[in-house]
Amino acid sequence: MSAGYDLIVVGAGAKAAGIATKVHIVNSLGLARISMLTIEATEVAASWKGRNGMTSGEEPLAVTPIKDVGFPYQSHVEFGEAGEAIDAALAQFTWQQYMIGARRYARWVDAGSPPVRHRDYGEYLTWVLSRATEGVEQLGARVTQVRLDEDGERWLVEAEAGGATTRHLGGALVLTGPGIHRAFPHEPAVAGRVFHCDSKREDFARIPAGERLDVAIVGGGESALSATMFLRGMRPDCRFTIYTPMLPMSRGESFLENRVFSNPDTVEWESLDPQTRRDFVKHSDRGVFDPPSLSAIAYDERCRFVTGRVTDVGAAAAGEGVRLEYESPEGAAGAEHDFVANCTGFDLLAQLRTLFPAKVREEIERRAGQVWDRPAGSEVPIGRNLELAGMRPRLQIPGIAGLSQGPGFANLGALGLLSNRVLAPLLIAKSEVLDSSKSVA
């Protein structure tokens, strides 16, 4: 059993980088003493570098990298004067500082600050996590199980690496990452022709090169667009049919929309009725394409869109390929393709089900209410600190906080605000202890 930590973060991506920078700075400034452990199974920024899952790393980042790990730099809202000191110290972790150190900043600015690739952003996150070290530890291992300790007051995280299992206690637990791909109805006979959001690049080698094959892409969001962009480059002779339940839409980029991502309190997000919040998230984040990538395929004759929701995938009539059944605005329909990629998104709660044993899930639901198997369309209640409401010790899940707390918490829209919300309970409690010890002294 390792020493206990104030905070354990599962996954070493953008959210972990944002939290780690704040922990590093809080400790360096002497505002408090917070201990953090990050556990990552593959590599730092694994979702961005092109070696894991669907992305090739060449796709353009959907947001400007200036919205870096400290954005929106408004820590005074949560921490007052201490927040101003925290934001000032964050200068060492900015995107600009990273580019200056790499001697690429002037070139990037002179080029008009163009969008960067996913792999560029992944290298930035790696740079950040290599420098955010004060009170921060990193462990390369796969989390296999999460339980409560004997007192039910701390999390006990089991991780495996090289055949050895280690156990780590944490006062709070942050779960990041996209989760696992959503279930996709298909017959077992066509499994070899079905790909998913987290399929490895080598898996797509099953699509023969140099042949004019037809590939179906199912989904209407970033995963679908990423798959289309990747496969267009990998198999340029193929044709692509994108099945989306809504008309293809590009992401909104107005001042108001961006402001809601950066600071949801400006529109009193939590006071808005659920349908208004749901509509905003749907039209600005979920089920939309980023404009630069959408424009890249707009006039590509190899790509076409079909409005419909896929209900089943079976074998093609001739035995080669797949047949998709889908519900279109005109009713039930079907079409045949050679391969199909399931890009309907990820399910974080399904992944959590695999991490928590049945008894732990029962205890979580006893304390916080129903989490799994909720009615369709309902959302898990998430509190202001991105925690599962009513659960102690804190279980913080930013990836499902979009509807409850603001759309920026589920993506890259406000990593600095995300880290403030996650760390606020710890920093306030630790600061009070620190202040009282100074008074005694």
Side-chain angles (χ1 to χ4, degrees), residues 133-176:
T133 57
E134 188 67 30
V136 179
E137 297 181 25
Q138 296 185 37
L139 174 65
R142 181 176 63 89
V143 174
T144 56
Q145 185 172 253
V146 178
R147 296 181 284 118
L148 291 164
D149 69 359
E150 292 183 359
D151 298 325
E153 296 180 354
R154 290 189 296 177
W155 294 106
L156 178 59
V157 180
E158 295 185 0
E160 183 180 281
T165 297
T166 55
R167 296 174 177 82
H168 311 272
L169 285 170
L173 179 66
V174 182
L175 298 169
T176 70

Side-chain angles (χ1 to χ4, degrees), residues 6-7 19 26 31-34 78-79 171-174 383-388 391-396 417-433:
D6 294 310
L7 186 69
I19 298 169
V26 164
L31 297 173
R33 192 67 196 173
I34 297 174
E78 298 286 344
F79 309 127
L173 179 66
V174 182
R384 184 172 178 82
N385 299 121
L386 313 184
E387 82 284 8
L388 181 61
M391 181 63 200
R392 294 293 182 274
R394 281 188 304 281
L395 176 59
Q396 293 162 302
L417 180 60
L418 182 152
S419 59
N420 286 346
R421 294 282 190 94
V422 167
L423 293 174
L426 276 174
L427 183 55
I428 292 172
K430 295 273 186 176
S431 296
E432 289 176 351
V433 172

Side-chain angles (χ1 to χ4, degrees), residues 100-397:
I100 292 169
R103 299 180 180 178
R104 293 158 48 199
Y105 183 61
R107 182 180 179 88
W108 181 67
V109 172
D110 289 341
S113 305
V116 301
R117 301 172 302 173
H118 280 194
R119 70 170 71 254
D120 298 324
Y121 187 70
E123 292 301 327
Y124 164 64
L125 296 177
T126 302
W127 175 84
V128 167
L129 283 167
S130 71
R131 286 159 173 75
T133 57
E134 188 67 30
V136 179
E137 297 181 25
Q138 296 185 37
L139 174 65
R142 181 176 63 89
V143 174
T144 56
Q145 185 172 253
V146 178
R147 296 181 284 118
L148 291 164
D149 69 359
E150 292 183 359
D151 298 325
E153 296 180 354
R154 290 189 296 177
W155 294 106
L156 178 59
V157 180
E158 295 185 0
E160 183 180 281
T165 297
T166 55
R167 296 174 177 82
H168 311 272
L169 285 170
L173 179 66
V174 182
L175 298 169
T176 70
I180 59 178
H181 62 259
R182 296 187 185 280
F184 194 59
H186 65 273
E187 296 176 2
V190 298
R193 293 179 176 270
V194 178
F195 305 104
H196 299 278
C197 298
D198 50 1
S199 293
K200 305 299 182 184
R201 294 184 65 188
E202 54 266 27
D203 294 342
F204 291 99
R206 296 202 303 267
I207 301 176
E211 297 185 25
R212 291 182 58 82
L213 301 175
D214 195 286
V215 180
I217 309 289
V218 182
E222 287 293 333
S223 295
L225 187 57
S226 179
T228 304
M229 298 293 287
F230 168 59
L231 290 172
R232 281 172 71 244
M234 181 182 182
R235 294 292 184 259
D237 296 311
C238 289
R239 299 182 301 274
F240 303 95
T241 304
I242 304 167
Y243 289 86
T244 171
M246 302 183 298
L247 293 174
M249 300 179 63
S250 61
R251 185 189 313 278
E253 293 290 346
S254 74
F255 169 79
L256 178 58
E257 288 166 321
N258 287 332
R259 188 63 174 158
V260 174
F261 276 78
S262 302
N263 189 354
D265 286 344
T266 58
V267 294
E268 299 181 353
W269 180 266
E270 292 182 77
S271 299
L272 299 175
D273 66 87
Q275 190 58 48
T276 298
R277 285 181 275 145
R278 188 173 287 110
D279 288 343
F280 184 93
V281 170
K282 181 174 66 176
H283 293 299
S284 63
D285 185 36
R286 299 176 187 170
V288 292
F289 300 106
D290 73 90
S293 297
L294 188 59
S295 65
I297 63 175
Y299 296 104
D300 189 338
E301 293 182 352
R302 295 174 296 166
C303 302
R304 71 186 185 101
F305 287 88
V306 172
T307 304
R309 186 179 300 276
V310 174
T311 57
D312 188 60
V313 178
E320 294 291 332
V322 297
R323 177 174 177 78
L324 269 63
E325 303 293 338
Y326 64 96
E327 293 291 338
S328 74
E330 297 179 351
E336 293 189 355
H337 303 273
D338 294 294
F339 294 89
V340 57
N342 166 26
C343 299
T344 54
F346 295 89
D347 189 339
L348 185 53
L349 287 177
Q351 183 182 38
L352 301 188
R353 187 192 293 271
T354 66
L355 292 181
F356 295 112
K359 289 185 177 180
V360 177
R361 294 200 304 271
E362 292 173 3
E363 181 61 20
I364 290 173
E365 292 191 322
R366 187 186 70 80
R367 301 184 190 188
Q370 189 173 8
V371 176
W372 294 273
D373 301 320
R374 294 175 62 86
S378 64
E379 294 279 340
V380 177
I382 299 295
R384 184 172 178 82
N385 299 121
L386 313 184
E387 82 284 8
L388 181 61
M391 181 63 200
R392 294 293 182 274
R394 281 188 304 281
L395 176 59
Q396 293 162 302
I397 320 174

Side-chain angles (χ1 to χ4, degrees), residues 11-73:
K15 295 177 178 64
I19 298 169
T21 56
K22 287 283 172 60
V23 171
H24 173 92
I25 288 169
V26 164
N27 290 334
S28 298
L29 294 177
L31 297 173
R33 192 67 196 173
I34 297 174
S35 58
M36 170 181 166
L37 174 66
T38 299
I39 306 176
E40 170 58 52
T42 52
E43 63 175 328
V44 172
S47 297
W48 303 98
K49 293 180 178 177
R51 294 186 286 267
N52 303 274
M54 184 77 72
T55 177
S56 67
E58 298 298 321
E59 296 87 349
L61 193 67
V63 300
T64 172
I66 295 174
K67 290 188 174 182
D68 52 27
V69 295
F71 186 81
Y73 295 96

